[in-house]
Amino acid sequence: MTARQLTQAILAKRSFLCVGLDTDLRKTPECLRDAEDPQFSFNKAIIDATAPYTVCYKPNLAFYEENGARGWESFERTCRYIRENHPDIFIIADAKRGDIGNTSGMYARAFFEQGSVDAVTLSPYMGRDTVEPFLRYAGKWAVILALTSNPSADDFETLPLADGWMLYETVLETASGWGTVDNTMFVVGATKSEMLSSVRRIVPDHFLLVPGVGAQGGSLEEVARHGMNAGCGLLVNSSRAIIYADGTASFAATAGTKAREVQQEMDALLERFL
Amino acid sequence: MTARQLTQAILAKRSFLCVGLDTDLRKTPECLRDAEDPQFSFNKAIIDATAPYTVCYKPNLAFYEENGARGWESFERTCRYIRENHPDIFIIADAKRGDIGNTSGMYARAFFEQGSVDAVTLSPYMGRDTVEPFLRYAGKWAVILALTSNPSADDFETLPLADGWMLYETVLETASGWGTVDNTMFVVGATKSEMLSSVRRIVPDHFLLVPGVGAQGGSLEEVARHGMNAGCGLLVNSSRAIIYADGTASFAATAGTKAREVQQEMDALLERFL
């Protein structure tokens, strides 16, 4: 998928919502506990209910790896289900991988050949070697951490460098030169929405994946105001506020309602800022 | 395992060798191709042959994830096999994970509860939140990336900061305050052995995991000269130079011979520098 195709999907659905599939077996409703594959069953119900309102799903690998090989199987089934039933929806494996060249190539194969996702989140710490193998796949994306939404993001990401920039700004500047706007995206947390303007000065044309709206407290309006570009350029993730809005047997219907509410807010913001 | 116990294991075997289980199905010998679980069969043979000469095994998750859920099963079987047959040998899951608090807690559970490893490699980019959940497990370790051995390590790791330090030095200084010498270790590449002296000024007492000896060209003697402390404080990894030394049916015997050669060199270096 190209950046232009992603923009077209956003305009068609009037939504730049990414639903995070952080599927925790401890939080899935009672009625699913005896299913043969409760993680997949939960995801399938959530996907069926939210697909009309979302352009992207983002399974978080930690929640699957916690269940070992069985969890990997649930992750793979989930991705196949999305691919087969909603081929227009972008899939990001939130894996935050990062390793040297030959190992990074293995991870790229794991997600793009063995798996069927469109994009993988990557940590930039080890530099270009980490990202390059992911850029060799036509139509696939590297989603690189820049400025995250967690409390300790300030430990290193915002450290001032000798040249006056902060580390995350140099990551944006340097890493944006490795690929193109059609295969590279950056993670910028919504809890730092005031910093989105400085991010946009460095990477005006790239898509940004924005977590931290909802449970983590970021404002969708502020994100749109400071972060939207001519092609929208935003995928805003919500996980818990949608998938765990309701812990009863009607969890999927409620998730659909919540996703629709976010989509309607996004429709208005696209009208206003695009 | 405490740092003191790790030192005792090193002195007992006269070895600070870590064998990297970067098991690539494309490189395993013909005779294993039809095995029910070729990755595990390869690892088992390598472990049986090298266990007398090594204090640590380090399976690299990328090589298992490339095979999806089946690969995760091979990884888990490998760890269980080491744990059951060589309970004194330290196991590092080379996963280079790094995520926010609740997700990082999931990864910690994946490796320390669902799995049975002693340590996990972590990327420091997102700060303390990433590492802390791993430090809550008694006897378990976080192995934090500091200065890596890949060509693009200079993209960010050695960037000069406003205070005159390089990024990796601040990572060492800051992250060494999160835990203790009994639960935190740092990755420092052997290809930068001249920088080990400056690393030792910042973290004199911590264990260092040193990749890059062998195939990547680092010198074991230089690593020992600049990096050894009073408790040895080094785990030096070798992967390809041991496990792929021989592509025939006698691969395991050759791996044992190679590991023994490294152990003998290490014995002499312990004699000289400890």
Side-chain angles (χ1 to χ4, degrees):
Chain A
M1 198 181 278
T2 64
R4 192 191 181 85
Q5 288 168 325
L6 198 47
T7 297
Q8 284 166 344
I10 288 167
L11 295 179
K13 280 189 174 163
R14 305 293 299 169
S15 167
F16 45 99
L17 174 62
C18 170
V19 173
L21 298 172
D22 300 7
T23 307
D24 183 345
L25 287 181
R26 281 169 294 264
K27 292 187 188 163
T28 54
E30 203 61 38
C31 58
L32 287 178
R33 299 270 158 88
D34 295 330
E36 167 252 337
D37 182 346
Q39 259 185 319
F40 172 70
S41 300
F42 180 84
N43 289 348
K44 180 178 177 300
I46 292 282
I47 291 160
D48 290 342
T50 59
Y53 314 114
T54 182
V55 291
C56 181
Y57 287 107
K58 180 173 73 64
N60 182 326
L61 267 290
F63 291 76
Y64 302 89
E65 291 182 9
E66 197 208 359
N67 303 309
R70 203 159 44 87
W72 257 83
E73 186 56 52
S74 306
F75 162 72
E76 291 174 347
R77 279 181 81 180
T78 300
C79 295
R80 279 197 305 270
Y81 183 79
I82 301 167
R83 188 53 75 234
E84 283 161 17
N85 294 279
H86 306 282
D88 58 316
I89 296 187
F90 199 75
I91 308 173
I92 301 173
D94 195 1
K96 300 192 174 69
R97 299 298 192 259
D99 212 310
I100 60 171
N102 73 325
T103 302
S104 208
M106 285 281 180
Y107 280 126
R109 273 195 287 275
F111 289 105
F112 292 158
E113 294 183 25
Q114 167 76 19
S116 53
V117 304
D118 297 289
V120 181
T121 57
L122 301 173
S123 169
Y125 189 73
M126 295 173 74
R128 184 178 191 141
D129 296 351
T130 301
V131 174
E132 238 169 13
F134 290 85
L135 303 179
R136 288 189 206 122
Y137 290 79
K140 302 287 187 179
W141 295 64
V143 183
I144 303 171
L145 299 180
L147 181 63
T148 57
S149 55
N150 59 315
S152 70
D154 287 336
D155 280 342
F156 306 121
E157 293 172 17
T158 58
L159 276 180
L161 302 180
D163 63 7
W165 281 35
M166 287 193 269
L167 175 60
Y168 83 90
E169 294 176 306
T170 294
V171 166
L172 286 168
E173 168 84 0
T174 303
S176 62
W178 296 338
T180 70
V181 296
D182 286 314
N183 63 15
T184 308
M185 199 178 291
F186 294 98
V187 175
V188 180
T191 49
K192 323 258 167 162
S193 60
E194 73 286 358
M195 291 159 107
L196 272 166
S197 303
S198 80
V199 167
R200 276 299 179 211
R201 279 194 289 276
I202 305 169
V203 287
D205 302 321
H206 282 76
F207 259 90
L208 306 178
L209 172 63
V210 184
V213 167
Q216 290 180 60
S219 149
L220 186 56
E221 183 179 335
E222 288 302 297
V223 168
R225 182 190 309 279
H226 297 292
M228 207 176 275
N229 66 17
C232 179
L234 295 172
L235 290 175
V236 172
N237 184 74
S238 181
S239 303
R240 286 169 276 176
I242 291 178
I243 70 173
Y244 299 128
D246 177 353
T248 73
S250 55
F251 70 97
T254 308
T257 305
K258 290 284 169 192
R260 184 159 182 264
E261 285 169 16
V262 178
Q263 180 269 322
Q264 287 175 335
E265 202 184 336
M266 288 177 165
D267 180 17
L269 292 170
L270 284 165
E271 189 65 39
R272 201 164 140 203
F273 293 113
L274 194 69
Chain B
M1 198 180 276
T2 63
R4 192 192 181 86
Q5 288 168 326
L6 198 47
T7 297
Q8 284 166 345
I10 288 167
L11 295 179
K13 279 188 175 165
R14 306 293 300 169
S15 167
F16 45 99
L17 174 61
C18 170
V19 173
L21 298 172
D22 299 6
T23 308
D24 184 345
L25 287 180
R26 283 169 293 264
K27 292 187 187 162
T28 54
E30 203 63 38
C31 58
L32 287 179
R33 298 270 158 90
D34 296 330
E36 167 251 338
D37 181 348
Q39 260 187 317
F40 172 70
S41 300
F42 180 84
N43 289 347
K44 181 179 177 299
I46 293 282
I47 291 161
D48 289 342
T50 59
Y53 314 114
T54 182
V55 291
C56 182
Y57 287 107
K58 180 173 73 65
N60 183 326
L61 266 289
F63 292 76
Y64 302 88
E65 291 182 11
E66 197 208 359
N67 303 308
R70 204 160 42 87
W72 257 83
E73 185 57 50
S74 306
F75 163 71
E76 291 174 347
R77 279 182 80 178
T78 299
C79 295
R80 279 197 305 270
Y81 183 79
I82 301 167
R83 188 53 76 234
E84 283 161 18
N85 294 278
H86 305 284
D88 58 317
I89 296 187
F90 198 75
I91 309 174
I92 301 173
D94 195 1
K96 300 193 174 67
R97 298 299 192 257
D99 211 309
I100 60 171
N102 73 325
T103 302
S104 207
M106 285 282 181
Y107 280 127
R109 274 196 288 274
F111 289 105
F112 293 158
E113 294 183 24
Q114 167 75 20
S116 53
V117 304
D118 297 289
V120 181
T121 57
L122 301 172
S123 168
Y125 188 74
M126 294 173 74
R128 184 179 192 143
D129 296 351
T130 301
V131 174
E132 237 170 14
F134 290 86
L135 303 179
R136 289 190 204 121
Y137 290 79
K140 302 289 186 179
W141 295 64
V143 183
I144 302 170
L145 298 179
L147 182 63
T148 58
S149 55
N150 58 316
S152 70
D154 288 335
D155 280 341
F156 306 121
E157 295 173 15
T158 57
L159 277 181
L161 303 180
D163 64 6
W165 280 35
M166 286 193 268
L167 176 59
Y168 83 91
E169 295 176 305
T170 294
V171 166
L172 287 167
E173 168 84 0
T174 303
S176 63
W178 297 338
T180 70
V181 296
D182 286 314
N183 63 14
T184 309
M185 200 178 289
F186 293 98
V187 175
V188 180
T191 48
K192 321 259 166 160
S193 59
E194 73 287 359
M195 289 160 108
L196 272 166
S197 304
S198 80
V199 167
R200 277 298 180 211
R201 279 194 288 277
I202 304 169
V203 287
D205 302 321
H206 282 76
F207 259 90
L208 305 178
L209 172 63
V210 184
V213 168
Q216 290 180 58
S219 150
L220 186 55
E221 183 178 336
E222 288 302 297
V223 169
R225 183 190 309 279
H226 297 292
M228 207 176 275
N229 66 17
C232 179
L234 294 172
L235 290 175
V236 172
N237 184 74
S238 181
S239 302
R240 287 168 275 176
I242 290 178
I243 70 173
Y244 299 128
D246 176 353
T248 73
S250 55
F251 70 97
T254 308
T257 305
K258 290 284 170 193
R260 184 159 182 265
E261 284 169 16
V262 179
Q263 179 271 321
Q264 287 175 336
E265 201 183 335
M266 287 177 166
D267 180 19
L269 292 170
L270 284 166
E271 189 67 38
R272 199 163 142 204
F273 293 112
L274 193 68

